[in-house]
Amino acid sequence: GENVEQHPSTLSVQEGDSAVIKCTYSDSASNYFPWYKQELGKGPQLIIDIRSNVGEKKDQRIAVTLNKTAKHFSLHITETQPEDSAVYFCAARRNTGTASKLTFGTGTRLQVTL
Amino acid sequence: SQTIHQWPATLVQPVGSPLSLECTVEGTSNPNLYWYRQAAGRGLQLLFYSVGIGQISSEVPQNLSASRPQDRQFILSSKKLLLSDSGFYLCAWSPMGTGGREQFFGPGTRLTVL
């Protein structure tokens, strides 16, 4: 089955700096890679996603890049703000027909300090 | 707009007691539904998914079961809880007709088994 590894497990940056979180996946057939942000005590919220036919996608301060050959993808947050502090999860989707079965990384706890 | 509800929000149960967690989705029809468990400081593990009423697929062998009695209702159950069942349980849905890629999570239920 699919295996997703995520690094680092914790990341501390100063407000205004950039943050980068990296993930690798094992199943070359995976074709969809979402990123979720989870605040304390809440369910994860989808913040950005990328499909395998795209190399990069950007939404304001957030961008995701995908390298299919190397089977890795990354989340980039620029001009970080205190409200960006949360746990971030990457995931990869295995194509199983009608159901979207996501395999998640183990998460990165991002702390943005003043 | 679509919303997803889970209850209860928190639950403390003794070992050996039964469990019933409920998830409902509003504003959509024929969603794919998912149950995940998140152990403390860990990623999300897919437990069950359903593509229709009465259709349940199990991802990992365990002490839990799932049922889908109605189109937008998903229930997670156990006859006898174990200490290892403690965790944060998340329900999610994905729309039909899009390959089910995007998953949207509920607020979660924190279960503590003592």
Side-chain angles (χ1 to χ4, degrees):
Chain A
E2 175 68 278
N3 182 51
V4 177
E5 294 188 358
Q6 183 172 347
H7 301 280
S9 58
T10 60
L11 179 59
S12 182
V13 299
Q14 285 195 325
E15 183 180 8
D17 288 350
S18 296
V20 180
I21 303 170
K22 299 181 179 181
C23 289
T24 60
Y25 62 99
S26 60
D27 188 349
S28 57
S30 290
N31 57 7
Y32 171 68
F33 308 91
W35 286 88
Y36 287 84
K37 175 183 180 182
Q38 186 177 27
E39 297 178 343
L40 190 63
K42 297 182 178 180
Q45 299 295 310
L46 178 68
I47 56 172
I48 195 168
D49 56 18
I50 191 167
R51 286 159 173 73
S52 58
N53 59 347
V54 176
E56 183 175 358
K57 183 177 179 180
K58 191 172 183 180
D59 183 4
Q60 299 182 349
R61 296 186 296 109
I62 296 174
V64 58
T65 58
L66 171 65
N67 183 327
K68 287 181 60 181
T69 303
K71 290 189 284 188
H72 67 70
F73 55 113
S74 301
L75 177 71
H76 305 253
I77 306 174
T78 58
E79 301 173 24
T80 54
Q81 301 169 2
E83 51 264 39
D84 294 330
S85 296
V87 178
Y88 291 81
F89 291 96
C90 63
R93 175 187 184 263
R94 291 175 282 155
N95 191 348
T96 60
T98 56
S100 176
K101 296 173 65 174
L102 295 175
T103 300
F104 284 83
T106 50
T108 296
R109 183 173 299 279
L110 174 64
Q111 181 69 42
V112 180
T113 58
L114 297 174
Chain B
S1 63
Q2 300 86 11
T3 55
I4 178 169
H5 304 278
Q6 284 187 248
W7 65 90
T10 61
L11 189 60
V12 181
Q13 292 284 97
V15 170
S17 64
L19 173 74
S20 181
L21 302 182
E22 189 163 346
C23 170
T24 59
V25 181
E26 297 177 354
T28 187
S29 297
N30 304 315
N32 295 323
L33 297 172
Y34 310 83
W35 277 112
Y36 288 87
R37 176 169 56 205
Q38 186 176 27
R42 302 288 298 277
L44 288 80
Q45 180 186 34
L46 179 62
L47 303 176
F48 301 95
Y49 69 93
S50 171
V51 299
I53 296 174
Q55 300 179 61
I56 309 294
S57 296
S58 175
E59 282 296 288
V60 294
Q62 59 204 308
N63 184 42
L64 302 168
S65 62
S67 62
R68 184 171 178 174
Q70 300 180 43
D71 180 45
R72 289 168 289 176
Q73 183 185 30
F74 206 22
I75 297 173
L76 184 69
S77 304
S78 174
K79 293 182 179 179
K80 290 185 178 182
L81 283 169
L82 306 173
L83 286 174
S84 57
D85 291 324
S86 293
F88 193 46
Y89 288 84
L90 290 156
C91 180
W93 73 276
S94 66
M96 292 290 289
T98 62
R101 292 190 181 98
E102 297 87 354
Q103 285 189 26
F104 303 95
F105 285 84
T109 295
R110 184 161 302 283
L111 171 66
T112 302
V113 182
L114 302 175

